[in-house]
Amino acid sequence: MINKFVNELDIALKTLSYKKSGTDRGYPADNNENDVELSEPERKLSEALMRVNLAGEVAAQALYRGQAMVCKDPDIKEHLIQAGDEETDHLIWCKKRLDELDGKPSVLNPIWYAGSFAIGAIFGSMGEKTSLGFVEETEKQVVKHLQRHLDKVSENDKETIEILKTMQEDEDLHAGQANESGAEELQNPTKKIMEFTAKVMTSSSHYI
């Protein structure tokens, strides 16, 4: 247990300092040659959106780690860890884009990490099917969230658009993988609570 705690603490610190290694996938924004300079309102909007998405990726890391820590099925545990590693790419991309926009991460990220880790552990302890159902529902909600951001961001900010689209494709894939692995659909009250919690996080991280 001590070793597990030390390991999780190390991962948490690396995540919150944005030093956690991903899968070395290319930065989606590198594929664009955008000669359009963003206006200040456009830049500020993109900055706020990417701060929110970075907070979401911090929370995603914690959710996967919390679920994996209590998971008893080795195959599902491996699936959770692998999905979390792929999500680290998103964390790296969001931080890089936020830096490019001269923005700063949310000061609340440590709170989101701690709370999300606890939530992940709670759902993970309810059994593998429920845990996978939680992953599937989380990813479905993130796909919708990213679409709302794609609808808001300026069409001139092609770098941010490319990042959000790539993330959206990955989240949709993770939802499908969880379903194929035997996810059990969550009850509507649980889904509503998840939506409310996500709304609190996104609305807060938009500004600070």
Side-chain angles (χ1 to χ4, degrees):
M1 286 300 296
I2 294 177
N3 287 339
K4 281 186 178 181
F5 175 78
V6 171
N7 182 56
E8 292 303 329
L9 182 60
D10 178 63
I11 291 173
L13 292 174
K14 286 179 179 177
T15 300
L16 292 169
S17 61
Y18 313 107
K19 298 184 183 301
K20 191 168 183 280
S21 300
T23 64
D24 294 326
R25 293 169 63 190
Y27 183 48
D30 283 342
N31 298 327
N32 288 283
E33 295 181 2
N34 190 7
D35 296 327
V36 180
E37 186 172 343
L38 300 179
S39 67
E40 187 60 12
E42 289 173 330
R43 186 198 66 77
K44 285 193 170 183
L45 174 60
S46 292
E47 175 194 341
L49 296 180
M50 293 313 292
R51 179 165 45 251
V52 169
N53 287 311
L54 179 60
E57 294 306 325
V58 167
Q61 292 294 308
L63 286 171
Y64 278 116
R65 293 306 309 181
Q67 288 177 277
M69 187 183 74
V70 300
C71 184
K72 296 179 180 178
D73 186 305
D75 292 332
I76 294 178
K77 183 176 182 128
E78 182 60 30
H79 165 75
L80 292 168
I81 292 174
Q82 181 179 347
D85 287 341
E86 292 171 2
E87 292 280 346
T88 306
D89 292 336
H90 300 177
L91 182 83
I92 294 169
W93 299 341
C94 288
K95 180 60 168 62
K96 183 173 181 178
R97 185 57 185 152
L98 189 61
D99 289 342
E100 292 171 347
L101 293 164
D102 296 323
K104 294 182 179 180
S106 171
V107 298
L108 301 174
N109 281 350
I111 296 175
W112 305 141
Y113 191 97
S116 298
F117 188 93
I119 292 172
I122 290 170
F123 274 92
S125 65
M126 293 180 181
E128 277 66 38
K129 290 185 178 181
T130 300
S131 183
L132 288 169
F134 181 73
V135 171
E136 181 181 17
E137 181 58 27
T138 298
E139 301 292 21
K140 284 181 177 179
Q141 291 189 14
V142 172
V143 168
K144 293 178 182 178
H145 157 82
L146 290 171
Q147 186 57 53
R148 288 193 292 270
H149 278 201
L150 283 166
D151 293 338
K152 287 181 181 179
V153 69
S154 168
E155 63 181 13
N156 291 325
D157 191 354
K158 299 188 183 302
E159 290 88 349
T160 296
I161 290 172
E162 193 62 36
I163 292 168
L164 295 180
K165 283 184 175 180
T166 305
M167 287 169 57
Q168 190 179 48
E169 291 172 0
D170 289 348
E171 308 294 4
D172 193 45
L173 177 62
H174 290 161
Q177 289 173 338
N179 181 272
E180 292 171 2
S181 297
E184 185 178 79
E185 185 173 2
L186 302 182
Q187 298 296 316
N188 282 330
T190 303
K191 293 180 182 180
K192 294 296 182 184
I193 292 173
M194 291 170 64
E195 289 175 1
F196 175 76
T197 304
K199 189 172 292 186
V200 170
M201 183 188 73
T202 56
S203 59
S204 301
S205 301
H206 188 93
Y207 300 102
I208 58 175

